[in-house]
Amino acid sequence: MALAALERVTYSYPGGEAPALRDVSLELAEGEVVALLGPSGSGKSTLVRALAGLIPHFHGGRFAGRVTVAGLDSRTTRPAQLAGTVASVFQDPEDQVVLSVVRNEVAFGLENLGAVPATIWPRVEAALDAVGALHLAERRTAELSGGELQRVCLASALALEPQLLLLDEPTSQLDPVAAEEFLACVGRLGCAVVLSEHRTGRALGLADRVLFVEGGTLLCDAPLAEAVGWLAEHRPAYLPAEQHSRGLAAPADLVCRLEAIDFSYRADEAVLEGVGLEVGRGEIVALEGPNGSGKTTLAKIATGLLRADSGSVEVSGRAGYLSQDPGRYLIRERVIDETSLAVGGDEDRARAALVRVDLAWAADRHPRDLSSGERERLGLAAVSVAEPELLVLDEPTRGVDPTRKAEIASWLSDYAAEGRGVLVATHDRTFPADRRVALGQEALVGV
């Protein structure tokens, strides 16, 4: 008997013009690792939510077909009854955290399941250690970076020791080393795993089987070797590419210069010490470094959102900043209104910006109706529509499929070529840049 199964599932969100899933059938066996691939907005997250029992109970909408997990029919079983059997980590870890201290957050699910009290803290420590976050146990969740918060959510899921682990972009905010360590941990779990990832090299390196979803339809369901052949023929952009760089020299005409930057959120814990960074006109600079190294902090200082404790900041012209989770800052009822906000309601400029990120079709949609990757592209349109001289992007490819990532990279190249500077804080080592700089504990170094 299969651990989980979808039988001819068709589902539409409330108010949705087209089904998010169309007649999808599949089975999951115990212990298998399945890579779930497809474009942004293709239905991957919806498929994960269906397996978690959140559809139709939590989201509403129109549902047809049948989903079973461990013999339980999701139509008659509430999501809470599946907790422990199924554990999920979704795209936005910021929206999953409940408690203020890390160790309490990881223990929360175990306490709700009625775990034996004597086993709770050992399981919490083991889960945090498995994702390299044991040192965060006593930290406040509000003080964590996006990547650190993602590790905490992953630990919360692992602590439950589920039969089915559902991971929706689980490494999108982890640095490359942390991502590899986490996926190695997932590979040792022994439970069934569904891994939705846009960084397909990681997913394919771990998977026994591949599902490819597009337009809500399951186009490919095959063992790894057969699926790689299908991808090569039909969707080659989803196969891993060699790391590359545009390889241009840093120009002398600077749009941003940071010198001897010191910054602390708390008096006893320095985040940045003596850091310097330059971004020239016409170039894209990739800012790399481990989770918690201060990439987001430095990006905010460069754009004036944070004030350095000491050092100097020089920016020529306007600066624009796109955060790690732009969905948290969307405040308008329509996509077009969100995009036109920075240009005084000029809808013509806003529509041109939406065309650049292939969201013209969504102009009258509510921003919250978009997928995570689509919201990321909306954020890019909204922050770039005013054409700032310095464009700073914090993990802009999170939740973005490979084809869209290539399009964004191409557009940023054109944007910089017009005499502007682009700073990209990223864990994605394949993202094209003129220069790559690594943020360590002491200073920035070129790589």
Side-chain angles (χ1 to χ4, degrees):
M1 179 179 177
L3 173 62
L6 276 73
E7 301 173 31
R8 306 201 65 178
V9 171
T10 296
Y11 173 74
S12 299
Y13 287 99
E17 297 177 1
L21 294 176
R22 301 172 185 265
D23 199 27
V24 174
S25 297
L26 60 89
E27 292 186 349
L28 299 176
E30 293 183 1
E32 75 172 331
V33 178
V34 178
L36 177 57
L37 309 180
S40 300
S42 64
K44 300 188 304 298
S45 294
T46 304
L47 179 55
V48 169
R49 290 170 185 151
L51 287 167
L54 298 175
I55 289 172
H57 297 291
F58 182 79
H59 293 282
R62 301 187 303 277
F63 178 91
R66 185 168 181 252
V67 178
T68 55
V69 180
L72 300 174
D73 190 324
S74 70
R75 295 172 299 183
T76 56
T77 304
R78 305 296 298 180
Q81 294 173 267
L82 291 174
T85 301
V86 179
S88 308
V89 177
F90 292 106
Q91 292 176 346
D92 302 319
E94 301 88 349
D95 294 336
Q96 290 188 251
V97 172
V98 177
L99 300 179
S100 60
V101 177
V102 167
R103 67 196 307 265
N104 295 340
E105 175 66 26
V106 179
F108 184 66
L110 293 171
E111 292 168 343
N112 281 324
L113 290 178
V116 177
T119 69
I120 290 177
W121 296 115
R123 287 170 69 174
V124 167
E125 291 184 1
L128 285 169
D129 189 42
V131 298
L134 188 56
H135 65 290
L136 301 175
E138 303 300 330
R139 292 275 300 277
R140 297 185 62 81
T141 53
E143 298 174 350
L144 302 183
S145 71
E148 290 170 334
L149 202 57
Q150 196 160 34
R151 293 195 202 194
V152 172
C153 291
L154 295 171
S156 298
L158 296 184
L160 300 177
E161 299 175 356
Q163 294 181 55
L164 175 59
L165 181 60
L166 305 173
L167 303 175
D168 195 355
E169 296 290 335
T171 66
S172 62
Q173 296 190 64
L174 297 183
D175 62 72
V177 173
E180 295 302 327
E181 290 175 349
F182 170 72
L183 291 179
C185 173
V186 169
R188 296 191 297 266
L189 291 176
C191 66
V193 178
V194 175
L195 173 62
S196 175
E197 267 278 353
H198 284 310
R199 297 176 186 177
T200 54
R202 295 174 180 171
L204 295 177
L206 190 69
D208 306 310
R209 175 178 160 206
V210 177
L211 307 176
F212 190 95
V213 179
E214 189 171 281
T217 300
L218 184 59
L219 298 184
C220 177
D221 179 358
L224 178 61
E226 182 180 334
V228 168
W230 185 90
L231 290 170
E233 180 177 358
H234 298 283
R235 299 293 186 276
Y238 286 82
L239 292 177
E242 293 295 323
Q243 180 175 337
H244 60 284
S245 170
R246 290 168 64 211
L248 304 177
D253 187 10
L254 298 179
V255 70
C256 173
R257 176 187 282 120
L258 309 181
E259 292 184 336
I261 298 296
D262 292 341
F263 183 86
S264 300
Y265 289 101
R266 297 184 298 185
D268 60 342
E269 188 173 336
V271 177
L272 299 172
E273 292 184 286
V275 172
L277 174 66
E278 295 180 346
V279 180
R281 294 186 182 278
E283 74 166 345
I284 300 174
V285 177
L287 177 61
E288 301 176 342
N291 296 125
S293 61
K295 298 186 301 299
T296 295
T297 300
L298 189 64
K300 289 182 176 179
I301 290 173
T303 52
L305 294 175
L306 289 176
R307 184 185 296 273
D309 297 334
S310 62
S312 65
V313 178
E314 299 176 19
V315 176
S316 175
R318 178 184 295 182
Y321 174 75
L322 178 64
S323 71
Q324 288 184 5
D325 183 19
R328 295 172 67 88
Y329 305 100
L330 300 176
I331 59 174
R332 298 295 176 134
E333 296 295 316
R334 296 191 307 158
V335 165
I336 189 68
D337 297 332
E338 194 70 49
T339 313
S340 64
L341 187 61
V343 287
D346 187 335
E347 289 199 2
D348 289 339
R349 292 178 67 182
R351 289 186 188 280
L354 290 173
V355 168
R356 286 196 295 267
V357 298
D358 196 23
L359 283 177
W361 59 271
D364 294 320
R365 296 280 297 275
H366 195 290
R368 299 292 178 185
D369 290 338
L370 304 182
S371 72
S372 177
E374 289 164 346
R375 290 197 301 271
E376 195 77 33
R377 284 151 51 202
L378 171 57
L380 179 58
V383 77
S384 65
V385 65
E387 300 179 345
E389 295 296 297
L390 174 66
L391 183 60
V392 180
L393 310 176
D394 198 349
E395 295 292 347
T397 60
R398 186 178 81 160
V400 177
D401 64 74
T403 300
R404 298 296 184 203
K405 183 173 75 171
E407 292 172 354
I408 289 172
S410 176
W411 179 80
L412 288 176
S413 179
D414 293 340
Y415 188 88
E418 294 175 356
R420 307 183 187 97
V422 178
L423 177 64
V424 181
T426 182
H427 293 308
D428 186 353
R429 289 177 172 170
T430 69
F431 193 84
D434 301 317
R435 287 191 293 126
R436 314 190 82 84
V437 291
L439 182 57
Q441 295 183 349
E442 300 299 330
L444 280 170
V445 295
V447 295

